[in-house]
Amino acid sequence: MKKVGVATRWGLHTSTAGGLGEMLRRAEQMGETAAQIFVKSNRRWEMPSLDGEEAKEFRKGKKEQDLWVCSHAGYLINVAGSDETRQKSIRALAEEVRRAEELGLEAVVVHCGSRGEKEPSEARRRAVEGFQEALQRSGTQRVKLALENSAGQGSALARDVAEWGELVQSIPDQRRAACLDTAHAFAAGFDLRTEEGRSRLRVEVLREIGQENLVVIHANDSKTECGSGVDRHEHLGAGKIGTDGLRLFLRDPSWAGIPRIGELPPGEREDRENLAFLRASCSTT
Ligand SMILES: [Zn+2]
Ligand SMILES: [Zn+2]
């Protein structure tokens, strides 16, 4: 993936309330050049069917607006979980991937799963096979599966960058992708307030994930302390990472051209401020 000379895109997780057309209008109004959506309710298994006409309109509108869009898979999905959860997760993820492809999205961001009582290696094997099965079942060709790093909350996989990398590298070439969340990395022990912490994260991500696989950055501040292992997002600059740490991390030339998305509590003023923060953090000069 060539990043040189590519403008860096930025936006927020954007609501689809009122339909996908409404979402596009919202994105345009806010001036977003990238956005993330849910293609179904994020806290339920059920999926009301996707209207083919609405999907077509969305693809067209997204192109006209030159908007980069990814989806975030449902929070219940755990491909490393117990047999029943895992089967449900594979089915649900396959359908989400199919929808994302129908909508012309760039990637589906998904959590790597939680190991519960299982040995880490066994949990990773289940996750890897689960992701591959979901991709196969989806019958899709193009949309990428972007595995996200975790804060390590509970027994979540991919707190450790090497473990996250092992999972990412197991995804077939054409579909392989990763999503780096700054709040998760901070909660996982990377102190983004210091040059040492930022550079350690950069070195590990470039080595284990590879710049070409990193397709989106979740730019979130953190309510919780560095190393807490607890995932709580905070408005940009208002959390424990703070303005300087986040800005310096996002301005790193290694991440130039990679879209950044804030996943933050919505609000008219907050959205405006978070977007201004992201826009100002794109420059590498
Ligand atoms: Zn995230
Ligand atoms: Zn999070």
Side-chain angles (χ1 to χ4, degrees):
M1 199 188 303
K2 204 147 172 255
K3 299 269 166 56
V4 184
V6 174
T8 305
R9 294 166 174 269
W10 43 268
L12 299 173
H13 184 98
T14 304
S15 166
T16 55
L20 292 165
E22 226 9 80
M23 179 269 160
L24 286 176
R25 270 187 291 282
R26 240 173 243 132
E28 188 161 43
Q29 205 179 25
M30 294 195 282
E32 293 176 324
T33 53
Q36 177 177 278
I37 59 171
F38 292 126
V39 297
K40 58 172 276 288
S41 160
N42 60 321
R43 295 186 193 276
R44 294 167 194 259
W45 289 109
E46 304 84 68
M47 268 185 247
S49 64
L50 182 67
D51 180 329
E53 209 37 52
E54 191 185 5
K56 206 170 126 193
E57 281 298 310
F58 177 81
R59 275 202 311 274
K60 200 170 131 225
K62 176 172 120 25
K63 206 166 168 185
E64 282 167 7
Q65 247 168 271
D66 185 27
L67 187 66
W68 183 102
V69 187
C70 66
S71 67
H72 196 303
Y75 294 149
L76 298 176
I77 289 176
N78 178 9
V79 288
S82 63
D83 291 345
E84 196 197 336
T85 305
R86 185 169 179 271
Q87 280 315 314
K88 266 181 160 169
S89 297
I90 292 170
R91 253 199 319 273
L93 182 58
E95 175 57 18
E96 291 214 29
V97 169
R98 199 198 59 69
R99 279 178 188 212
E101 180 133 315
E102 188 179 346
L103 294 171
L105 306 191
E106 315 299 331
V108 176
V109 175
V110 64
H111 296 164
C112 292
S114 288
R115 67 182 173 85
E117 301 294 305
K118 290 179 281 300
E119 286 296 316
S121 60
E122 165 67 2
R124 286 196 294 273
R125 188 187 60 77
R126 289 168 74 84
V128 163
E129 291 174 9
F131 287 134
Q132 290 170 349
E133 193 177 330
L135 277 175
Q136 228 157 43
R137 273 209 213 178
S138 71
T140 55
Q141 309 292 328
R142 192 195 58 82
V143 65
K144 290 183 187 276
L145 195 59
L147 273 45
E148 181 171 6
N149 68 313
S150 81
Q153 193 159 324
S155 58
L157 295 171
R159 172 185 183 141
D160 178 67
V161 177
E163 180 171 75
W164 175 34
E166 185 183 325
L167 297 170
V168 169
Q169 303 302 340
S170 75
I171 303 294
D173 274 12
Q174 304 302 315
R175 318 300 295 276
R176 183 187 303 140
C179 166
L180 169 65
D181 190 307
T182 53
H184 298 178
F186 183 74
F190 290 94
D191 193 346
L192 302 182
R193 295 167 297 198
T194 68
E195 174 53 36
E196 190 274 332
R198 291 188 295 272
S199 111
R200 192 161 60 85
L201 182 59
R202 175 183 56 239
V203 167
E204 291 192 22
V205 168
L206 295 180
R207 185 183 64 216
E208 307 291 340
I209 306 295
Q211 193 197 35
E212 69 286 5
N213 291 321
L214 194 61
V215 296
V216 56
I217 293 175
H218 280 168
N220 300 309
D221 207 332
S222 177
K223 267 193 171 58
T224 62
E225 257 310 329
C226 179
S228 66
V230 178
D231 175 17
R232 296 277 181 283
H233 300 186
E234 180 57 283
H235 292 293
L236 302 173
K240 302 282 185 196
I241 308 177
T243 300
D244 291 349
L246 269 173
R247 217 157 247 178
L248 287 165
F249 181 78
L250 292 170
R251 282 186 180 165
D252 187 322
S254 302
W255 319 130
I258 301 173
R260 47 263 345 240
I261 302 281
E263 299 174 293
L264 302 157
E268 211 177 299
R269 182 176 58 84
E270 291 87 344
D271 286 353
R272 246 198 335 268
E273 289 174 2
N274 286 319
L275 286 168
F277 189 104
L278 289 174
R279 196 171 41 226
S281 305
C282 286
S283 119
T284 54
T285 48

